[in-house]
Amino acid sequence: MFSKMIYAPFVGIKPVEEFAGRVVAPPYDVLSSSEAKVKAKGNPYSFLHISKAEIDLDEGISCYDDKVYEKARDNFNVLLENNVITYSNKPCFYVYQMIMGEHKQTGFAVGASIKAYDEGRIKRHELTRVVKENDRVRQIRTVGAQTGPVLLINKVIPKIKEFLKKVECERKPLFSVIGDYDVRHTVWEISDDAEIEFIAKAFNEQNEAYIADGHHRSAAATRLANEDGNVENGRFLAMAFFEDEMKIWDYNRVVFDLNGNSVDEFMNKVKDEGFELKEADYHK
């Protein structure tokens, strides 16, 4: 019944409660290999051993070496074999809440539709690099799991927001742990068939979403679905939050090369692309 819906439940891979605080780790693309190695030191359960498996291999090895993907698979299987992480018994949705200081946002882990992505109902705003797509394709294919979610934004659905409040107030979570920057991560599993149908149908009435982050992850999953002839029913792992709770942080970049332009020429070309420029206050 979920094949044509924008979001569907999925068989989750979740940490056992007693190990959750040691499994939790930052996304693979916010740490360098050296930073990840330091963070995971002394913690064999850190998910960084899967998402950045080069930290367990020789210094200086390429992140794209075959051995890195094979090591990620081996580390993943060790956590499964030792019951540090485990599969859910059936396809489920997962309520996921993050609290940082006074800011709180609550949404769902979902299986997002490849078909909706291809049709533009899951909207993109970035181009992707083939080398980064290839990396995620190889990671998913070798490990046998999608290990990083795409961040999706939905417009507010009042009946879903009410449901989330009830879950938060009335149910025991699978786990609740503190991660980096003192962010509390809490997860509840939604396994009741009637509730799963309610959630899927509510999102399908809206029938669209916006990719806030994870363009390479969604593109990689789409490539795999095409390779496997499964575009119609293919899914990618995603976190669906609501626009009223999202906090958008600055994403700063440094320009090192003006490509032959003077500073004024460069600034004018940026303005011609529709950007508004202003001088920022900063401290040297």
Side-chain angles (χ1 to χ4, degrees):
M1 67 170 292
F2 299 107
S3 61
K4 295 184 179 180
M5 293 190 177
I6 191 168
Y7 297 158
F10 64 98
V11 175
I13 304 162
K14 54 196 179 182
V16 174
E17 183 177 15
E18 64 182 290
F19 297 114
R22 299 182 66 186
V23 173
V24 67
Y28 80 99
D29 54 354
V30 302
L31 296 176
S32 67
S33 298
S34 57
E35 289 170 332
K37 190 166 189 173
V38 170
K39 180 166 285 294
K41 186 177 181 180
N43 180 10
Y45 301 146
S46 172
F47 205 77
L48 290 170
H49 294 288
I50 297 164
S51 60
K52 295 190 74 68
E54 68 271 15
I55 66 176
D56 295 326
L57 298 170
D58 293 338
E59 194 80 29
I61 192 170
S62 168
C63 296
Y64 307 130
D65 192 290
D66 288 346
K67 293 178 182 177
V68 173
Y69 303 101
E70 292 163 3
K71 187 63 175 175
R73 177 198 60 210
D74 294 344
N75 289 343
F76 177 78
N77 288 334
V78 166
L79 293 189
L80 282 171
E81 290 163 5
N82 291 333
N83 291 316
V84 176
I85 59 177
T86 182
Y87 288 98
S88 60
N89 294 325
K90 59 177 286 189
C92 300
F93 284 119
Y94 294 85
V95 172
Y96 173 42
Q97 183 181 83
M98 303 169 63
I99 299 177
M100 181 178 184
E102 296 183 356
H103 178 74
K104 178 170 70 173
Q105 62 190 61
T106 311
F108 291 92
V110 302
S113 167
I114 297 291
K115 187 173 177 61
Y117 173 89
D118 276 349
E119 293 176 349
R121 288 182 283 126
I122 295 179
K123 306 172 192 304
R124 293 163 266 181
H125 67 270
E126 289 182 7
L127 300 177
T128 54
R129 296 171 56 203
V130 173
V131 65
K132 293 294 186 180
E133 282 187 28
N134 290 343
D135 171 55
R136 291 300 89 193
V137 165
R138 293 176 69 191
Q139 224 264 353
I140 295 168
R141 185 70 85 190
T142 306
V143 174
Q146 296 185 36
T147 59
V150 176
L151 176 59
L152 299 179
I153 307 301
N154 282 84
K155 295 177 182 177
V156 171
I157 304 173
K159 59 187 175 183
I160 288 291
K161 299 277 279 191
E162 287 300 316
F163 175 80
L164 289 172
K165 287 180 183 177
K166 288 190 68 175
V167 170
E168 179 183 359
C169 295
E170 299 175 6
R171 302 188 191 182
K172 182 181 184 300
L174 288 177
F175 58 83
S176 185
V177 298
I178 301 294
D180 282 10
Y181 305 107
D182 292 325
V183 177
R184 177 167 290 280
H185 304 269
T186 306
V187 174
W188 294 262
E189 185 175 74
I190 307 301
S191 59
D192 178 79
D193 290 340
E195 291 181 340
I196 288 172
E197 183 176 353
F198 163 75
I199 294 163
K201 285 184 174 179
F203 278 107
N204 209 54
E205 289 169 6
Q206 190 173 107
N207 205 27
E208 62 180 2
Y210 181 83
I211 299 176
D213 188 43
H215 286 79
H216 290 94
R217 279 160 271 185
S218 52
T222 301
R223 277 178 51 184
L224 285 167
N226 276 283
E227 290 175 12
D228 296 341
N230 191 35
V231 172
E232 192 71 28
N233 297 309
R235 299 279 166 178
F236 60 86
L237 177 64
M239 277 306 314
F241 286 108
F242 295 101
E243 61 180 355
D244 64 326
E245 294 184 355
M246 290 298 297
K247 185 170 185 178
I248 308 300
W249 297 88
D250 291 347
Y251 195 94
N252 300 307
R253 297 182 184 274
V254 176
V255 177
F256 288 100
D257 186 341
L258 299 183
N259 195 29
N261 295 285
S262 69
V263 172
D264 287 340
E265 289 171 336
F266 174 78
M267 293 295 191
N268 287 331
K269 287 181 178 180
V270 172
K271 289 178 183 177
D272 289 343
E273 291 294 325
F275 291 95
E276 179 183 335
L277 302 182
K278 62 181 180 179
E279 188 172 345
D281 294 327
Y282 69 96
H283 299 284
K284 294 184 178 179

